[in-house]
Amino acid sequence: MITVIEKVAEMRAFITQARKQGKTIGFIPTMGALHEGHLTLMQEAKKCSDVVVASIFVNPTQFGPNEDYDAYPRTWPEDLEACSAVGVDVVFRPSVKEMYPNGWGTWVTVAGITDKLCGKSRPNHFRGVTTVVAKLFNIVQPDKAFFGQKDAQQVVVLTRMAQDLNMPVEIVMVPIVREPDGVAKSSRNSYLTAAERKSAPILYKSLCAAQQLVSQGEQSVQNIVAAVVRSIKSEPMATIDYVEIHSFPQLEEMAGLNQEALLAVAAKFGATRLIDNIILKPGERG
Amino acid sequence: MITVIEKVAEMRAFITQARKQGKTIGFIPTMGALHEGHLTLMQEAKKCSDVVVASIFVNPTQFGPNEDYDAYPRTWPEDLEACSAVGVDVVFRPSVKEMYPNGWGTWVTVAGITDKLCGKSRPNHFRGVTTVVAKLFNIVQPDKAFFGQKDAQQVVVLTRMAQDLNMPVEIVMVPIVREPDGVAKSSRNSYLTAAERKSAPILYKSLCAAQQLVSQGEQSVQNIVAAVVRSIKSEPMATIDYVEIHSFPQLEEMAGLNQEALLAVAAKFGATRLIDNIILKPGERG
């Protein structure tokens, strides 16, 4: 049996009750349009939590004015069924008005690491993410919260937020789930035309090639980035937004590849912006 | 018996234990230099909480570069004794490094209502207050937190923050405690020279005169403010920073005095900036 809750007060009452019974709470915040990546997060949560709560909320504050808030896929009946099938106990599904009532005006911002990568082309995006997740954490009060590595910068930013604000929650990062051809699962893949979808595997292919370079001893960040750029450009349908390498999880500039590093890419296929990444490991095969 | 805790992890462990035992937690965040105003907050907390936690932390992020962070009075032995005498269970007394370790960088900001009153002459002050209080709330996880009306804008801002971020805490505002001559108790009163101290009662005197005007039927915000300004200016040692009237607790502009309103003043006496306020009630005697 799955419970659907739409009001903050009801969600809080449920949590208070669960906490009184000494239950641990695992939480998966989502924007819905659930795919296998989300379901993997839920399964992970299930393994180590007495109660699993997923939220479905397309958060307006993390979309830019010219981004896809209105177009973002909303697939409620399927989402509910998927949550139920995977054993989620509660789906929290608030309205925009419930989360941002009249007069609302408090932001949580993480400085520094939000300026690079996706933060560069999506100003205020991470402010929206950190703010809504801070709110959801306060409502759901989870012991652990689960996020996909696909949004690696998001995981780093949220981990920093939780640490910096002393939130009593553990952030768990779960590996990327991919289609058979390597494309990272994403709700936005549904925007792709058949031709765009066919060219999308270039991103992961380029990332794997980079890991191979590293395994062969390449240590120059500049050379690796150049190789990835070249590789993505070989696909005419792809327009690069960024290819960047940063230390992980600090997201600092790196001169040479002497520790684990995040290689992250963003590219447009037609009007659709896709992101992908791998953690480069010096001396390991990709 | 009173417990002193200096580490976040230890404070959290204590709270987890107390929560497991079903105890309610009352919290009083302070910057130390405790006076009767603080002790009243603690007594209020004691009345309705199983465990009373007070924090003593002179928070650097809420002081401007030219403000009195270094000079702020630190009176630890007396503070501990006072907490103990009034029945506080735990004093949380972290170091600056414990609260803001290397790499720290997450802010909580409340928009709009932080620009006026004290926010005008103390930019970034409220950002420091909301951030440190958000941190302390996450560490102490109180059911209720107690703040003095002397910092009325602070109470309004923190209430807004708690609401906007769905924090599971109730903010309780406790009336101002005054010296026999009407001066609001404040840690900063210790800065005053004898002559300045002697002129300080002008603030409360002016506030009371304003309430009398209102009780006599004066409804013009402009007239009331003008009367208060005139009254404070009659004291040569006082230099006005602001005299403002706003709706309470929304802190919005008011044309006429048709509802409860905050009349707040700030003035310098020599180098020392004092604040005071009353809630004006239409049709009531002050």
Side-chain angles (χ1 to χ4, degrees):
Chain A
M1 213 205 53
I2 190 161
T3 306
V4 178
I5 296 180
E6 296 186 344
K7 297 290 177 193
V8 171
E10 279 171 43
M11 191 66 235
R12 203 189 288 295
F14 178 94
I15 292 296
T16 304
Q17 199 53 32
R19 284 245 163 259
K20 262 193 193 148
Q21 294 164 12
K23 292 185 175 162
T24 60
I25 292 154
F27 179 45
I28 308 96
T30 82
M31 299 209 301
L34 302 179
H35 52 67
E36 218 182 305
H38 298 109
L39 304 183
T40 304
L41 300 179
M42 293 168 186
Q43 282 154 350
E44 283 303 311
K46 195 88 191 151
K47 281 183 201 163
C48 58
S49 320
D50 298 325
V51 176
V52 174
V53 179
S55 64
I56 295 187
F57 180 62
V58 185
N59 174 38
T61 65
Q62 71 191 68
F63 287 82
N66 298 315
E67 290 183 5
D68 56 343
Y69 173 68
D70 287 327
Y72 198 85
R74 279 133 171 119
T75 57
W76 169 243
E78 293 85 349
D79 288 353
L80 180 61
E81 208 169 316
C83 288
S84 182
V86 84
V88 166
D89 299 292
V90 179
V91 175
F92 180 52
R93 190 198 182 210
S95 67
V96 171
K97 194 138 188 99
E98 183 73 6
M99 291 296 277
Y100 300 106
N102 281 343
W104 184 93
T106 301
W107 296 98
V108 177
T109 47
V110 173
I113 52 173
T114 53
D115 301 337
K116 47 196 83 172
L117 297 162
C118 285
K120 226 189 285 176
S121 47
R122 304 186 71 189
N124 290 334
H125 166 66
F126 284 111
R127 183 183 76 160
V129 171
T130 44
T131 299
V132 80
V133 171
K135 285 167 64 66
L136 290 167
F137 281 0
N138 282 327
I139 295 165
V140 176
Q141 300 171 45
D143 298 276
K144 296 186 183 189
F146 299 79
F147 296 89
Q149 188 195 319
K150 209 205 87 201
D151 301 295
Q153 187 181 11
Q154 172 174 281
V155 182
V156 170
V157 168
L158 291 174
T159 304
R160 166 61 59 83
M161 171 187 79
Q163 269 178 17
D164 283 357
L165 295 185
N166 308 99
M167 294 174 168
V169 60
E170 184 190 336
I171 307 280
V172 181
M173 184 172 88
V174 178
I176 298 178
V177 179
R178 299 182 179 281
E179 304 286 354
D181 64 359
V183 171
K185 300 249 183 191
S186 165
S187 307
R188 289 190 169 97
N189 290 348
S190 66
Y191 299 155
L192 297 169
T193 65
E196 287 160 1
R197 178 63 187 79
K198 225 173 150 183
S199 61
I202 189 64
L203 295 186
Y204 186 53
K205 241 182 247 168
S206 308
L207 295 176
C208 290
Q211 175 60 60
Q212 237 168 359
L213 275 180
V214 172
S215 304
Q216 286 157 11
E218 180 61 78
Q219 293 219 348
S220 156
V221 165
Q222 211 181 337
N223 289 352
I224 302 165
V225 167
V228 173
V229 167
R230 258 197 321 273
S231 169
I232 298 178
K233 280 191 172 164
S234 75
E235 172 49 66
M237 297 209 88
T239 309
I240 293 174
D241 178 3
Y242 65 75
V243 175
E244 291 186 34
I245 292 178
H246 293 283
S247 68
F248 188 81
Q250 303 82 0
L251 297 191
E252 281 164 0
E253 298 291 314
M254 298 178 85
L257 214 90
N258 46 8
Q259 61 152 109
E260 280 203 353
L262 177 72
L263 166 56
V265 301
K268 281 203 155 186
F269 295 79
T272 303
R273 187 173 170 281
L274 299 183
I275 59 175
D276 203 345
N277 69 77
I278 55 170
I279 310 290
L280 291 176
K281 293 178 190 190
E284 253 188 48
R285 258 160 223 295
Chain B
M1 215 204 52
I2 189 161
T3 305
V4 177
I5 295 180
E6 297 186 343
K7 298 291 177 192
V8 171
E10 279 170 45
M11 192 65 235
R12 201 189 290 296
F14 178 95
I15 292 296
T16 305
Q17 199 52 33
R19 285 245 164 259
K20 264 194 193 148
Q21 293 165 11
K23 291 184 176 163
T24 59
I25 292 155
F27 179 44
I28 308 98
T30 82
M31 300 210 299
L34 302 179
H35 51 68
E36 217 182 304
H38 298 108
L39 303 184
T40 305
L41 301 179
M42 293 168 187
Q43 282 154 350
E44 283 303 311
K46 194 87 192 153
K47 281 184 202 161
C48 58
S49 322
D50 299 325
V51 176
V52 174
V53 179
S55 63
I56 295 187
F57 179 63
V58 184
N59 174 37
T61 65
Q62 73 191 68
F63 288 83
N66 298 314
E67 289 182 5
D68 56 344
Y69 173 66
D70 288 326
Y72 199 83
R74 278 129 172 123
T75 57
W76 169 243
E78 293 84 350
D79 288 354
L80 180 61
E81 208 169 317
C83 288
S84 182
V86 85
V88 167
D89 298 291
V90 179
V91 176
F92 180 52
R93 190 200 182 209
S95 67
V96 171
K97 194 138 189 99
E98 183 74 6
M99 291 296 277
Y100 300 106
N102 281 343
W104 183 94
T106 300
W107 295 97
V108 177
T109 46
V110 174
I113 53 173
T114 53
D115 301 338
K116 47 196 85 169
L117 297 163
C118 284
K120 224 188 285 174
S121 47
R122 303 187 72 189
N124 291 332
H125 167 66
F126 284 112
R127 183 183 75 160
V129 171
T130 45
T131 299
V132 80
V133 171
K135 284 167 67 64
L136 290 167
F137 281 0
N138 282 326
I139 296 165
V140 176
Q141 298 171 45
D143 298 277
K144 296 187 183 186
F146 299 79
F147 296 88
Q149 188 194 320
K150 209 206 85 200
D151 301 294
Q153 187 180 12
Q154 172 174 282
V155 182
V156 170
V157 168
L158 291 175
T159 304
R160 166 63 58 85
M161 171 187 79
Q163 270 178 17
D164 283 357
L165 296 185
N166 307 100
M167 294 174 170
V169 61
E170 184 190 335
I171 307 279
V172 181
M173 185 172 87
V174 178
I176 298 178
V177 179
R178 300 183 178 279
E179 304 286 353
D181 63 359
V183 171
K185 300 250 183 191
S186 166
S187 306
R188 289 191 170 97
N189 290 349
S190 65
Y191 298 155
L192 298 169
T193 64
E196 288 160 4
R197 177 64 188 79
K198 224 170 148 185
S199 61
I202 190 66
L203 295 185
Y204 187 53
K205 241 182 249 169
S206 308
L207 294 175
C208 291
Q211 175 60 58
Q212 236 166 1
L213 275 179
V214 171
S215 303
Q216 286 157 12
E218 179 62 75
Q219 293 220 346
S220 156
V221 165
Q222 211 181 340
N223 289 353
I224 302 164
V225 167
V228 173
V229 167
R230 257 196 321 274
S231 170
I232 297 178
K233 279 191 174 165
S234 75
E235 172 49 65
M237 297 208 88
T239 310
I240 293 174
D241 177 5
Y242 64 74
V243 174
E244 291 186 34
I245 292 176
H246 294 283
S247 68
F248 188 81
Q250 303 82 0
L251 297 192
E252 281 165 0
E253 298 291 314
M254 300 178 82
L257 214 89
N258 47 7
Q259 63 152 109
E260 279 203 352
L262 177 71
L263 166 56
V265 301
K268 280 201 156 189
F269 295 78
T272 303
R273 185 172 172 283
L274 299 183
I275 60 176
D276 203 346
N277 69 76
I278 56 171
I279 310 289
L280 291 175
K281 294 176 193 194
E284 252 187 49
R285 260 162 220 291

Coordinates of all heavy atoms in Angstrom, one line a residue, chain A residues 105-156:
Chain A
G105 N 10.0 33.9 0.8 CA 11.1 34.7 0.3 C 12.5 34.3 1.0 O 13.2 35.2 1.3
T106 N 12.7 33.0 1.2 CA 14.0 32.6 1.9 C 14.8 31.7 1.0 O 14.2 30.7 0.6 CB 13.7 32.0 3.2 OG1 13.0 32.9 4.1 CG2 15.0 31.6 3.9
W107 N 16.0 32.0 0.8 CA 16.9 31.2 -0.1 C 18.0 30.6 0.6 O 18.6 31.2 1.5 CB 17.4 32.1 -1.2 CG 16.4 32.7 -2.1 CD1 15.8 33.9 -2.1 CD2 15.8 32.0 -3.3 NE1 14.9 34.1 -3.1 CE2 14.8 32.9 -3.8 CE3 15.9 30.7 -3.8 CZ2 14.1 32.6 -4.9 CZ3 15.1 30.4 -4.9 CH2 14.2 31.3 -5.5
V108 N 18.4 29.4 0.2 CA 19.6 28.8 0.6 C 20.6 28.8 -0.5 O 20.2 28.3 -1.6 CB 19.4 27.3 1.1 CG1 20.7 26.7 1.5 CG2 18.4 27.3 2.3
T109 N 21.8 29.4 -0.4 CA 22.7 29.4 -1.5 C 24.1 28.9 -1.0 O 24.6 29.2 0.0 CB 22.9 30.9 -2.0 OG1 23.1 31.7 -0.8 CG2 21.8 31.4 -2.7
V110 N 24.6 28.1 -1.9 CA 26.0 27.6 -1.7 C 26.9 28.3 -2.6 O 26.6 28.5 -3.8 CB 26.1 26.1 -2.0 CG1 27.5 25.6 -2.0 CG2 25.2 25.3 -1.1
A111 N 28.0 28.9 -2.1 CA 28.8 29.8 -2.9 C 29.9 29.0 -3.5 O 30.2 27.8 -3.2 CB 29.5 30.9 -2.0
G112 N 30.5 29.6 -4.6 CA 31.7 29.0 -5.2 C 31.5 27.8 -6.1 O 31.5 28.0 -7.3
I113 N 31.2 26.6 -5.6 CA 31.1 25.5 -6.4 C 29.8 25.5 -7.3 O 29.6 24.6 -8.1 CB 31.1 24.2 -5.6 CG1 30.0 24.2 -4.5 CG2 32.4 23.9 -5.0 CD1 29.9 22.9 -3.7
T114 N 29.0 26.5 -7.1 CA 27.8 26.6 -8.0 C 28.0 27.5 -9.2 O 27.1 27.6 -10.0 CB 26.6 27.2 -7.1 OG1 27.0 28.4 -6.5 CG2 26.2 26.2 -6.0
D115 N 29.2 28.1 -9.3 CA 29.4 29.0 -10.4 C 29.9 28.2 -11.7 O 29.8 28.8 -12.8 CB 30.5 30.0 -10.1 CG 30.1 30.8 -8.9 OD1 28.9 30.9 -8.6 OD2 31.0 31.3 -8.2
K116 N 30.4 27.0 -11.5 CA 31.1 26.3 -12.6 C 30.1 25.3 -13.2 O 28.9 25.2 -12.8 CB 32.4 25.7 -12.2 CG 32.3 24.9 -10.9 CD 33.6 24.6 -10.3 CE 34.1 25.8 -9.4 NZ 35.3 25.5 -8.7
L117 N 30.6 24.6 -14.2 CA 29.8 23.5 -14.8 C 28.4 24.0 -15.2 O 28.2 25.0 -15.8 CB 29.8 22.3 -13.9 CG 31.1 21.6 -13.6 CD1 31.1 20.7 -12.4 CD2 31.6 20.8 -14.8
C118 N 27.4 23.3 -14.7 CA 26.0 23.7 -15.0 C 25.6 25.1 -14.5 O 24.7 25.7 -15.0 CB 25.0 22.7 -14.5 SG 25.0 21.2 -15.5
G119 N 26.3 25.5 -13.4 CA 26.0 26.8 -12.8 C 26.3 27.9 -13.7 O 25.7 29.0 -13.6
K120 N 27.3 27.7 -14.6 CA 27.7 28.8 -15.6 C 26.6 29.1 -16.6 O 26.2 30.3 -16.8 CB 28.9 28.4 -16.3 CG 30.0 29.4 -16.4 CD 31.2 29.1 -17.3 CE 32.1 28.0 -16.6 NZ 33.2 27.6 -17.5
S121 N 26.0 28.1 -17.1 CA 24.9 28.3 -18.2 C 23.5 28.3 -17.6 O 22.6 28.7 -18.2 CB 25.0 27.3 -19.3 OG 25.1 26.0 -18.7
R122 N 23.4 28.0 -16.3 CA 22.1 28.0 -15.6 C 22.2 28.8 -14.3 O 22.1 28.2 -13.2 CB 21.6 26.6 -15.3 CG 21.6 25.7 -16.6 CD 20.9 24.3 -16.2 NE 19.5 24.5 -16.0 CZ 18.7 23.5 -15.5 NH1 19.2 22.3 -15.2 NH2 17.4 23.7 -15.4
P123 N 22.3 30.1 -14.4 CA 22.4 30.9 -13.2 C 21.2 30.8 -12.4 O 20.1 30.7 -12.9 CB 22.6 32.4 -13.7 CG 22.0 32.4 -15.1 CD 22.2 31.0 -15.6
N124 N 21.3 30.7 -11.1 CA 20.2 30.6 -10.1 C 19.7 29.1 -10.1 O 18.8 28.8 -9.2 CB 19.1 31.6 -10.4 CG 19.5 33.0 -10.0 OD1 20.4 33.2 -9.2 ND2 18.9 34.0 -10.7
H125 N 20.1 28.3 -11.0 CA 19.6 26.9 -10.9 C 19.9 26.2 -9.6 O 19.0 25.7 -8.9 CB 20.2 26.1 -12.1 CG 20.0 24.6 -11.9 ND1 18.8 24.0 -12.0 CD2 20.9 23.6 -11.7 CE1 18.9 22.7 -11.8 NE2 20.2 22.4 -11.6
F126 N 21.1 26.3 -9.1 CA 21.5 25.6 -7.9 C 20.8 26.2 -6.7 O 20.5 25.5 -5.7 CB 23.0 25.4 -7.8 CG 23.5 24.4 -8.7 CD1 24.3 24.7 -9.8 CD2 23.2 23.0 -8.5 CE1 24.8 23.7 -10.6 CE2 23.7 22.1 -9.3 CZ 24.5 22.4 -10.4
R127 N 20.6 27.5 -6.7 CA 19.9 28.2 -5.6 C 18.5 27.6 -5.5 O 18.1 27.4 -4.4 CB 19.9 29.7 -5.9 CG 19.2 30.5 -4.8 CD 19.1 32.0 -5.2 NE 18.0 32.2 -6.2 CZ 17.5 33.4 -6.4 NH1 17.9 34.4 -5.7 NH2 16.5 33.5 -7.2
G128 N 17.9 27.3 -6.6 CA 16.6 26.7 -6.6 C 16.6 25.3 -6.0 O 15.8 24.9 -5.3
V129 N 17.7 24.6 -6.4 CA 17.8 23.2 -6.0 C 18.1 23.1 -4.5 O 17.4 22.4 -3.7 CB 19.0 22.5 -6.7 CG1 19.2 21.1 -6.1 CG2 18.6 22.3 -8.2
T130 N 19.1 23.9 -4.0 CA 19.4 23.9 -2.6 C 18.2 24.3 -1.7 O 17.9 23.7 -0.7 CB 20.7 24.7 -2.3 OG1 20.6 26.0 -2.9 CG2 21.9 24.0 -2.7
T131 N 17.5 25.3 -2.2 CA 16.4 25.8 -1.4 C 15.3 24.8 -1.3 O 14.8 24.5 -0.2 CB 15.9 27.2 -2.1 OG1 16.9 28.1 -2.0 CG2 14.7 27.7 -1.3
V132 N 14.9 24.2 -2.4 CA 13.8 23.3 -2.4 C 14.2 22.0 -1.6 O 13.4 21.4 -0.8 CB 13.2 22.9 -3.8 CG1 14.1 21.9 -4.5 CG2 11.8 22.4 -3.6
V133 N 15.4 21.6 -1.7 CA 15.9 20.4 -1.0 C 16.0 20.7 0.5 O 15.6 19.8 1.3 CB 17.2 19.8 -1.6 CG1 17.8 18.7 -0.7 CG2 17.0 19.3 -3.0
A134 N 16.4 21.9 0.9 CA 16.4 22.2 2.3 C 15.0 22.2 2.8 O 14.8 21.7 3.9 CB 17.0 23.6 2.5
K135 N 14.1 22.7 2.1 CA 12.7 22.7 2.5 C 12.2 21.2 2.7 O 11.6 20.8 3.7 CB 11.8 23.4 1.5 CG 11.9 24.9 1.6 CD 11.2 25.6 0.4 CE 9.7 25.4 0.3 NZ 8.9 26.0 1.4
L136 N 12.5 20.4 1.6 CA 12.0 19.0 1.7 C 12.7 18.2 2.8 O 12.0 17.4 3.5 CB 12.3 18.3 0.3 CG 11.4 18.8 -0.8 CD1 12.0 18.4 -2.2 CD2 10.0 18.4 -0.7
F137 N 14.0 18.5 3.1 CA 14.6 17.9 4.2 C 14.0 18.2 5.5 O 13.8 17.4 6.4 CB 16.1 18.3 4.3 CG 17.0 17.5 3.3 CD1 16.5 16.6 2.4 CD2 18.4 17.8 3.2 CE1 17.3 15.9 1.5 CE2 19.2 17.2 2.3 CZ 18.7 16.2 1.5
N138 N 13.6 19.5 5.7 CA 12.9 19.9 6.9 C 11.5 19.3 7.0 O 11.1 19.1 8.2 CB 12.8 21.4 7.0 CG 14.1 22.1 7.3 OD1 14.9 21.5 8.1 ND2 14.4 23.2 6.8
I139 N 10.9 19.0 5.9 CA 9.6 18.4 6.0 C 9.6 16.9 6.2 O 8.9 16.4 7.1 CB 8.8 18.7 4.6 CG1 8.6 20.2 4.5 CG2 7.5 18.0 4.6 CD1 8.1 20.6 3.1
V140 N 10.5 16.3 5.5 CA 10.6 14.8 5.6 C 11.6 14.3 6.7 O 11.4 13.1 7.1 CB 11.0 14.2 4.2 CG1 11.2 12.7 4.2 CG2 9.9 14.6 3.1
Q141 N 12.5 15.1 7.1 CA 13.5 14.8 8.1 C 14.1 13.4 7.9 O 14.1 12.6 8.8 CB 12.8 14.9 9.5 CG 12.3 16.3 9.8 CD 11.5 16.4 11.0 OE1 11.8 15.9 12.1 NE2 10.4 17.1 11.0
P142 N 14.7 13.2 6.7 CA 15.2 11.8 6.5 C 16.6 11.6 7.2 O 17.3 12.5 7.5 CB 15.5 11.9 5.0 CG 15.8 13.3 4.7 CD 14.9 14.1 5.6
D143 N 16.8 10.3 7.4 CA 18.2 9.9 7.9 C 19.1 9.9 6.7 O 20.3 10.4 6.8 CB 18.1 8.5 8.5 CG 17.2 8.5 9.7 OD1 17.7 8.9 10.8 OD2 16.0 8.1 9.6
K144 N 18.7 9.4 5.6 CA 19.5 9.4 4.4 C 18.7 9.9 3.2 O 17.5 9.6 3.1 CB 19.9 8.0 4.0 CG 20.9 7.4 5.1 CD 21.4 6.0 4.6 CE 22.3 5.4 5.7 NZ 23.0 4.2 5.3
A145 N 19.3 10.6 2.3 CA 18.7 11.1 1.1 C 19.5 10.6 -0.1 O 20.7 10.7 -0.1 CB 18.5 12.6 1.1
F146 N 18.8 10.2 -1.2 CA 19.5 9.5 -2.3 C 19.4 10.4 -3.6 O 18.3 10.8 -4.0 CB 18.9 8.1 -2.5 CG 19.0 7.3 -1.3 CD1 18.2 7.4 -0.2 CD2 20.0 6.3 -1.2 CE1 18.3 6.6 0.9 CE2 20.2 5.5 -0.1 CZ 19.3 5.7 1.0
F147 N 20.6 10.5 -4.2 CA 20.6 11.3 -5.4 C 21.5 10.6 -6.5 O 22.4 9.9 -6.1 CB 21.3 12.7 -5.1 CG 20.4 13.5 -4.2 CD1 20.6 13.5 -2.8 CD2 19.5 14.4 -4.7 CE1 19.8 14.2 -2.0 CE2 18.7 15.2 -3.8 CZ 18.9 15.1 -2.5
G148 N 21.2 10.8 -7.7 CA 21.9 10.1 -8.8 C 23.2 10.8 -9.2 O 23.2 12.1 -9.2
Q149 N 24.2 10.1 -9.5 CA 25.4 10.7 -10.0 C 25.3 11.4 -11.2 O 26.2 12.2 -11.6 CB 26.5 9.6 -10.1 CG 27.9 10.1 -10.4 CD 28.9 9.0 -10.9 OE1 28.8 7.9 -10.4 NE2 29.7 9.4 -11.8
K150 N 24.3 11.2 -12.0 CA 24.1 11.9 -13.3 C 24.2 13.4 -13.0 O 24.8 14.1 -13.8 CB 22.8 11.6 -14.0 CG 22.9 11.7 -15.5 CD 21.6 12.0 -16.1 CE 21.3 13.5 -16.1 NZ 19.9 13.8 -16.3
D151 N 23.6 13.9 -11.9 CA 23.7 15.3 -11.6 C 24.8 15.4 -10.5 O 24.5 15.7 -9.3 CB 22.3 15.8 -11.0 CG 21.3 15.7 -12.1 OD1 21.4 16.3 -13.1 OD2 20.3 14.9 -11.9
A152 N 26.0 15.1 -10.9 CA 27.1 15.0 -9.9 C 27.3 16.3 -9.2 O 27.6 16.3 -8.0 CB 28.4 14.5 -10.6
Q153 N 27.2 17.4 -10.0 CA 27.5 18.7 -9.3 C 26.4 19.0 -8.3 O 26.6 19.5 -7.2 CB 27.5 19.8 -10.4 CG 27.9 21.2 -9.8 CD 27.8 22.3 -10.9 OE1 27.4 22.1 -12.0 NE2 28.4 23.4 -10.5
Q154 N 25.2 18.6 -8.6 CA 24.1 18.7 -7.7 C 24.4 17.9 -6.4 O 24.1 18.4 -5.3 CB 22.8 18.2 -8.3 CG 21.6 18.1 -7.4 CD 20.3 17.7 -8.1 OE1 19.7 18.5 -8.8 NE2 20.0 16.4 -8.0
V155 N 24.9 16.7 -6.5 CA 25.2 15.9 -5.3 C 26.3 16.6 -4.5 O 26.2 16.7 -3.2 CB 25.7 14.5 -5.7 CG1 26.0 13.7 -4.4 CG2 24.7 13.8 -6.5
V156 N 27.3 17.2 -5.2 CA 28.4 17.9 -4.4 C 27.8 19.1 -3.7 O 28.1 19.3 -2.6 CB 29.5 18.3 -5.4 CG1 30.5 19.2 -4.7 CG2 30.2 17.0 -5.9

